[in-house]
Amino acid sequence: MSPILQAENLSVRFPAGREGWFGPKREVQAVSNVDLSLFAGETLALVGESGSGKTTFARALLGLVGHSGGTMRFDGADIAAMNRTARQAMRRTVQMVFQDPFGSLDPRLTVASIIAEPLRIHNIGSAATRRERVRALLVQVGLPPDAASRYPHQFSGGQRQRIAIARALAPAPRIIIADEPLSALDVSIQSQILNLMAELRDRAGLSYLLISHDLAAVHHLADRVAAMYLGRVVEVAPRDALFDTPAHPYTRALLDAVPRIGAGKRVPGGALQGDIPSPLAPPPGCAFHPRCPRASSVCAVEAPVLRVLAGAHQAACHHPLEIAA
Ligand code: ATP
């Protein structure tokens, strides 16, 4: 099966001012040489500590930030080489749901206008067919039809996220990028939104790129999981393989912070030690080595590359943990 969306060796850098008044210009390497593919109908989750580059990676895929190296492909075609029509068609196909369902909805617009916005942008349908589509989408996301004429502030956080999901679904996308879609919601509402996302995916054959700190949510929704650390993918594996037998000590530590998920044995005290290093001066070799309980001298000098350990289980580590074959 070929991927719908594919990043090859993708890198994103941000300028970060000078060191002192006259020092050299500095850069944050937010995403470093990332290879990741998203396949039709699958949910790929990105996990990792704050600042590991998850959002920047997703924004680069959408063309919202420029990339400094590598290639992005949509249905096999290089996005950078696309003409305007092809790029617009792609934009319609890849929609985004954000963390803050209030901030992402224009408070001056009715719910109907908000949901119909991508239809207007992409010139889809007449006013009458858009109204019809909005009605159908409200039903699909579990909101009452009279929601159409109301405003965002008249809804709860969970309902606003349903509105944001309806808007994302409006142009019948194939891919939804969901960046922390649950983190602004009450815990009691989170599972409802998670179930809605799963139901919509299964019904419409959507692919999700899910960015989340919430490993329970990732476990519930994802088919595959990629762990990022300081801009790099350090492990990628099918969900159960990653949760049950993580190979990278970093992934292991992330999971150890949430004891109830995954069947793998937990090492007491295995949770992450120390702070994430400055992205302005990442450690040489494996960027995780100063925090890693398994680090040896090679880890301080040689950056490990992502390699296949078994089947679809890949990790970038000189001393991976033992995994199930
Ligand atoms: P979080 O979970 O907190 O959202 P993340 O894993 O999504 O974090 P990013 O937001 O992608 O991480 O940030 C990756 C790195 O890039 C961080 O060091 C961040 O400070 C930096 N960064 C992100 N956006 C910018 C920007 N517009 N300008 C400068 N630096 C940026």
Side-chain angles (χ1 to χ4, degrees), residues 14-15 28 30 49-57 180 213 279:
F14 292 114
V28 174
E49 290 171 289
S50 199
S52 53
K54 307 178 298 292
T55 296
T56 303
F57 175 73
E180 299 284 3
H213 281 105

Side-chain angles (χ1 to χ4, degrees), residues 5-295:
L5 209 53
Q6 192 177 13
E8 290 171 352
N9 210 18
L10 191 73
S11 295
V12 180
R13 287 196 288 261
F14 292 114
R18 287 185 187 278
E19 194 177 336
W21 284 93
F22 304 107
K25 280 187 184 161
R26 295 180 305 176
E27 280 180 335
V28 174
Q29 183 81 38
V31 173
S32 299
N33 309 99
V34 168
D35 287 308
L36 263 187
S37 297
L38 181 68
F39 295 91
E42 82 160 345
T43 297
L44 173 66
L46 293 184
V47 301
E49 290 171 289
S50 199
S52 53
K54 307 178 298 292
T55 296
T56 303
F57 175 73
R59 289 170 60 83
L61 286 179
L62 286 165
L64 299 175
V65 293
H67 57 294
S68 48
T71 309
M72 290 176 296
R73 294 183 190 282
F74 177 72
D75 271 343
D78 183 349
I79 294 174
M82 281 181 181
N83 63 26
R84 213 169 141 236
T85 319
R87 202 169 292 205
Q88 263 173 355
M90 188 202 85
R91 291 235 164 96
R92 172 180 163 176
T93 303
V94 188
Q95 294 291 316
M96 188 136 185
V97 172
F98 299 93
Q99 171 177 351
D100 175 4
F102 198 62
S104 67
L105 305 178
D106 189 333
R108 297 160 304 176
L109 298 181
T110 62
V111 167
S113 300
I114 289 169
I115 296 176
E117 198 179 18
L119 301 176
R120 281 194 302 275
I121 291 172
H122 294 288
N123 240 331
I124 303 168
S126 63
T129 56
R130 284 178 205 158
R131 266 196 303 277
E132 205 40 57
R133 177 99 181 114
V134 167
R135 247 197 297 277
L137 285 163
L138 287 171
V139 173
Q140 233 180 323
V141 300
L143 287 168
D146 72 350
S149 56
R150 287 151 64 193
Y151 291 87
H153 73 266
Q154 297 175 281
F155 295 88
S156 67
Q159 288 172 321
R160 289 198 291 259
Q161 200 56 304
R162 287 175 193 267
I163 296 166
I165 291 171
R167 174 178 60 185
L169 291 174
R174 289 163 65 195
I175 300 169
I176 290 194
I177 297 182
D179 192 351
E180 299 284 3
L182 309 173
S183 58
L185 306 178
D186 287 348
V187 174
S188 58
I189 305 298
Q190 289 181 350
S191 60
Q192 292 175 16
I193 297 296
L194 206 53
N195 289 338
L196 173 68
M197 288 179 66
E199 189 190 311
L200 294 169
R201 172 193 58 190
D202 299 342
R203 207 184 314 151
L206 289 169
S207 302
Y208 287 132
L209 180 65
L210 172 70
I211 297 172
S212 184
H213 281 105
D214 180 346
L215 293 176
V218 167
H219 190 260
H220 186 87
L221 205 62
D223 300 304
R224 281 194 308 140
V225 184
M228 288 186 74
Y229 186 71
L230 275 179
R232 292 181 187 273
V233 171
V234 298
E235 182 161 9
V236 57
R239 179 202 54 193
D240 289 344
L242 187 125
F243 276 91
D244 293 346
T245 53
H248 200 290
Y250 172 64
T251 318
R252 177 59 179 263
L254 284 178
L255 294 175
D256 278 344
V258 193
R260 281 168 294 109
I261 312 168
K265 287 194 211 90
R266 295 285 174 259
V267 181
L272 277 164
Q273 313 285 330
D275 291 330
I276 191 162
S278 164
L280 289 170
C286 171
F288 187 59
H289 86 265
R291 303 172 77 189
C292 182
R294 296 171 74 85

